[in-house]
Amino acid sequence: MEIPHQRLIYFQLTVETGSIRAAASRLAIAPSAVSRQIALLETAVDATLLERRRDGVCPTPEGELLLDYCHRRTRLDRHFSDALDAYQRLETGQITLYVGEGFVGDLIGHPLREFTESHRGIRLKIDTGSTREIIEAVVNDEAHIGLMYHEQVHPHLRFWQSTRQPLVLLMAPHHPLAESGSDPLTLAALADHPLALWHPGHGVRELVDLAFREAHQPLTVGIQTGSLEVLKHSARAGLCATLLPRFAAARELEEGSLVARDVLGQHFTQANAHMVTRVGRRMPRAGLQLLRHLQHWMRAFRCDDVTLDA
């Protein structure tokens, strides 16, 4: 049964004021118009809703049921209006991010702490995965925002910002390559040392494999892993050097437990960090606010002047 909202208002106001004439006065319309709308309402529900008395009107038992429905509908309308207002003021809602593991330290520190302190009603869901998993999550609307490395273009992704983040060699301060000067290293120099690398198929590993293959240099793999922490621990312990963007080991570089050397090669120097959403997806206001906040505060997106704002 579909009941026009306006007829419910006429009925409720008539009951609350006690007469059709008083309700018409409140509505600034003729009493006959109110009577006509209530008659149509009674026809729609197939029941008499008002009982006329000497001093006005009162609801019949069926009218009491409809009046209770009106009150509950009014509360639901008010609840929806309040919830929508809070959502639009960025006080409530959930934002889902799918990010490469190398972004986690950069993301969780100052950027998210400041954002959550300013938007305490916003819930954040954060998952990590490979570039392929990030793309799939964003394209399938499982995530509002993706942070990924290396991928350049995709027909279903909007690249909000892309920032040059070269792959560098990370190693312990006592590693032989850390003490061999300050000039960029060649792939031939790296070929003589074991490296801790992501498993085959990972985006960064594909970049490394491609660079060594095109340079016709052997790649000496000392450790393979799916964990960023294993890569960094291996480098800190001096077991192997590893290849990562600087932002993925910012804390270790600041404290001096790791040092970085640039590596020659277009595949390494042209790599980018990307902030993406799905093309055509309407972002919640809080999501747009978070995008701008991360663009400003994350190291991965403010270390270079090469940016693309779509």
Side-chain angles (χ1 to χ4, degrees), residues 8-20 22-23 34 38 49-51 56-60 63-64 66-68 70-71:
L8 293 176
I9 293 176
Y10 288 179
F11 168 74
Q12 184 176 352
L13 193 56
T14 297
V15 173
E16 290 174 351
T17 59
S19 74
I20 289 176
V34 176
I38 292 177
L49 300 174
L50 293 176
E51 180 181 352
V57 297
C58 65
T60 64
E64 290 283 3
L66 185 62
L67 183 62
D68 178 64
C70 291
H71 289 157

Side-chain angles (χ1 to χ4, degrees), residues 9-227:
I9 293 176
Y10 288 179
F11 168 74
Q12 184 176 352
L13 193 56
T14 297
V15 173
E16 290 174 351
T17 59
S19 74
I20 289 176
R21 186 172 298 278
S25 177
R26 289 271 297 274
L27 293 165
I29 59 176
S32 60
V34 176
S35 293
R36 185 167 55 253
Q37 292 300 318
I38 292 177
L40 290 171
L41 186 57
E42 289 180 325
T43 300
V45 300
D46 192 24
T48 300
L49 300 174
L50 293 176
E51 180 181 352
R52 286 161 177 80
R53 296 180 177 178
R54 186 176 302 177
D55 58 347
V57 297
C58 65
T60 64
E62 294 92 338
E64 290 283 3
L65 291 174
L66 185 62
L67 183 62
D68 178 64
Y69 168 76
C70 291
H71 289 157
R72 286 187 285 115
R73 180 166 175 167
T74 298
R75 287 194 296 270
L76 283 172
D77 288 345
R78 186 178 300 116
H79 176 74
F80 171 73
S81 178
D82 292 345
L84 181 62
D85 183 55
Y87 182 80
Q88 292 176 336
R89 292 198 310 269
L90 309 184
E91 292 178 357
T92 62
Q94 176 174 290
I95 307 170
T96 302
L97 298 94
Y98 217 109
V99 306
E101 193 177 353
F103 291 92
V104 171
D106 188 12
L107 175 70
I108 297 297
H110 179 76
L112 281 193
R113 185 175 66 250
E114 181 177 274
F115 181 83
T116 54
E117 287 175 354
S118 301
H119 305 85
R120 294 187 179 275
I122 300 295
R123 302 184 309 279
L124 297 175
K125 179 182 177 184
I126 303 172
D127 291 312
T128 62
S130 67
T131 298
R132 290 189 184 88
E133 291 170 333
I134 294 165
I135 291 173
E136 183 177 345
V138 173
V139 169
N140 293 334
D141 288 340
E142 296 167 7
H144 293 96
I145 300 170
L147 304 180
M148 64 185 193
Y149 187 72
H150 172 49
E151 187 77 17
Q152 295 298 319
V153 293
H154 192 283
H156 301 301
L157 293 181
R158 177 180 179 181
F159 286 72
W160 284 79
Q161 183 159 328
S162 295
T163 305
R164 190 84 69 229
Q165 290 289 353
L167 274 183
V168 297
L169 189 71
L170 298 174
M171 67 213 102
H174 58 270
H175 191 281
L177 291 177
E179 303 167 355
S180 61
S182 58
D183 293 335
L185 296 165
T186 64
L187 294 185
L190 269 61
D192 295 330
H193 298 273
L195 298 175
L197 298 174
W198 295 100
H199 287 306
H202 189 280
V204 173
R205 176 64 184 273
E206 289 181 348
L207 191 64
V208 172
D209 288 344
L210 177 62
F212 275 84
R213 186 166 60 248
E214 290 189 355
H216 304 290
Q217 293 293 335
L219 178 61
T220 305
V221 181
I223 295 175
Q224 290 188 155
T225 181
S227 165

